[in-house]
Amino acid sequence: QTLLSDSDSEGLEDSQYSLRPQTLDEFIGQGRVKKQLRIHIEAAKSRGQALAHILFVSPPGLGKTTLARIVANEMGSSFKSAVGPAMERLDIATLLTNLEERAIFFIDEIHRMKGYVQESMYPAMEDYKIDLPIGQGPAADIITVPLAHFTLVGATTREGLLGGPFRDRFGNRIHLDYYSPEEIQIAINRLSERLQPSVKIEEDAEYELARRSRGTMRIAENMLRKVRDYATVESDGIITYEIAQEALDFFEIDELGLDDNDRTYLRTMIEKFRGRAGLKAMAVAVSEDERTIEEVYEPYLIKLGFLTLTPMGRVATDAAYQHLGYPTPEYQST
Ligand code: ADP
């Protein structure tokens, strides 16, 4: 599987098996997105052209990288990937000049790419050419190098952090949503069969894991692996509903899928800041970087209705107080 071999086998024990969905048909859920991609892919193929540049936007673990690879597969194109923050102009130039015709060039965390590096990509994205300096100092010359017709596929958790002109150069901006428990259950079922050795898990246990996965495929996959370990050591290896419950309790994942980090975050906000705090204060109080708080913790708490963002700071809602067993504060009556 050359497609899986370059950048992100992610050190998983099972990376040698192609566990990721490889085609749009195998990609679960996100019906509208798949339909949209199918249309663009089919049209581009029938014209023999490269796809328009695509920006995938979602919280982590919802399938942006997976979709980028699938797009390459479905186009029959080569796939190259890079991570935004690490890229310098010259790195980009080297990568771009080595792309094949209709290649998919995937940049993860593209919002963290430096501003001047983003800008250096404008001519590449618009006109498939790039300006390169030759020599140094005042005598330096610029030559313009033509590029293959490629497709830039960017992934970001924070669309708003991309420069406006950069964002506008993506013909397709595609948002992925959290998955339903039913969709995640399908993924858990599939993964349990594909893991080596396969995992025996009962249907109601699958659903229980799915329900507590915060609508996020990556969390579901990690949870299955953890619960598998628990079942292996504490029982006969079969994940029954009871074992699933026991394991999730043991790993401190609550009814709504919140883990210790989420609860610490909410508790800190409630106990230290009386339910309202700024991002910086929260980051210091829970010793976590601001980015992780904004991109990992908060989106799901907001989706659950436990947190709202206001001009006056983050506010824990009554529902959050109730979930954690605090009396609801009077000033917050809904
Ligand atoms: P992102 O790039 O958004 O952080 P990934 O593409 O790395 O997310 O996906 C995380 C994990 O979840 C991968 O192992 C991937 O195979 C799986 N996954 C994501 N979306 C789906 C889906 N729709 N169907 C099946 N598996 C999925």
Side-chain angles (χ1 to χ4, degrees):
Q1 288 294 343
T2 49
L3 271 180
L4 285 165
S5 66
D6 64 340
S7 68
D8 67 343
S9 39
E10 284 161 9
L12 294 177
E13 73 208 84
D14 310 288
S15 60
Q16 66 270 37
Y17 305 101
S18 43
L19 294 172
R20 282 176 188 263
Q22 312 280 318
T23 62
L24 281 176
D25 280 339
E26 283 175 19
F27 192 84
I28 298 158
Q30 312 288 354
R32 252 195 72 80
V33 169
K34 282 191 289 192
K35 180 152 190 203
Q36 195 182 341
L37 286 172
R38 277 206 178 91
I39 289 171
H40 295 315
I41 289 169
E42 208 166 300
K45 275 167 113 175
S46 76
R47 290 192 298 260
Q49 291 175 343
L51 272 179
H53 307 302
I54 303 172
L55 183 65
F56 288 121
V57 184
S58 81
L62 298 195
K64 300 180 290 298
T65 310
T66 308
L67 272 180
R69 288 174 177 281
I70 287 176
V71 167
N73 259 356
E74 301 263 353
M75 284 293 290
S77 300
S78 58
F79 181 88
K80 284 269 169 356
S81 66
V83 181
M87 305 299 290
E88 280 300 335
R89 262 168 77 168
L90 207 60
D91 305 323
I92 289 277
T94 308
L95 282 163
L96 286 174
T97 48
N98 281 302
L99 292 177
E100 290 167 16
E101 203 55 28
R102 287 191 272 160
I104 300 297
F105 180 31
F106 175 66
I107 304 185
D108 202 3
E109 297 195 65
I110 198 162
H111 59 281
R112 296 180 64 205
M113 203 155 96
K114 300 178 182 87
Y116 62 88
V117 183
Q118 292 184 17
E119 278 166 36
S120 76
M121 299 216 46
Y122 295 173
M125 293 173 78
E126 273 180 4
D127 304 318
Y128 304 111
K129 61 180 197 197
I130 191 162
D131 295 327
L132 288 177
I134 295 288
Q136 282 183 342
D141 235 341
I142 299 276
I143 56 162
T144 300
V145 181
L147 302 172
H149 295 81
F150 71 102
T151 301
L152 181 63
V153 178
T156 182
T157 46
R158 304 283 302 282
E159 188 177 13
L161 294 186
L162 256 71
F166 189 41
R167 193 171 57 225
D168 292 342
R169 283 175 169 80
F170 289 91
N172 300 306
R173 294 197 292 277
I174 296 181
H175 292 247
L176 305 183
D177 282 331
Y178 288 112
Y179 295 87
S180 68
E182 289 74 19
E183 289 166 340
I184 294 192
Q185 185 180 0
I186 298 171
I188 289 178
N189 180 277
R190 228 180 258 177
L191 185 62
S192 69
E193 286 167 7
R194 288 189 185 181
L195 282 169
Q196 299 290 336
S198 67
V199 181
K200 290 200 186 57
I201 175 165
E202 290 174 0
E203 202 176 318
D204 46 3
E206 285 171 3
Y207 189 81
E208 191 60 16
L209 298 196
R211 200 172 67 73
R212 298 207 215 179
S213 293
R214 313 162 55 130
T216 304
M217 288 293 182
R218 181 178 294 129
I219 293 179
E221 294 184 343
N222 292 339
M223 202 182 270
L224 177 64
R225 290 183 164 93
K226 283 167 82 166
V227 173
R228 169 185 66 174
D229 286 351
Y230 186 93
T232 304
V233 174
E234 298 292 324
S235 165
D236 57 0
I238 298 172
I239 306 176
T240 60
Y241 179 73
E242 287 71 29
I243 287 291
Q245 289 236 322
E246 226 182 275
L248 292 168
D249 286 348
F250 177 76
F251 294 122
E252 301 189 321
I253 294 160
D254 74 19
E255 280 299 302
L256 296 174
L258 301 188
D259 62 18
D260 207 36
N261 291 330
D262 300 304
R263 287 190 298 270
T264 301
Y265 174 92
L266 288 175
R267 282 211 184 96
T268 304
M269 180 169 285
I270 289 168
E271 287 179 8
K272 277 206 176 149
F273 301 104
R274 296 204 286 147
R276 181 193 298 270
L279 176 61
K280 281 202 167 56
M282 280 306 296
V284 173
V286 299
S287 331
E288 190 59 87
D289 67 81
E290 292 177 26
R291 215 162 46 77
T292 308
I293 290 182
E294 278 190 291
E295 293 172 19
V296 182
Y297 296 169
E298 292 184 342
Y300 198 68
L301 294 174
I302 292 168
K303 183 184 147 72
L304 283 178
F306 284 1
L307 188 73
T308 53
L309 303 184
T310 73
M312 307 292 288
R314 276 88 177 122
V315 178
T317 64
D318 286 3
Y321 277 77
Q322 280 161 16
H323 182 67
L324 292 172
Y326 293 99
T328 35
E330 281 150 50
Y331 66 86
Q332 265 197 339
S333 59
T334 38

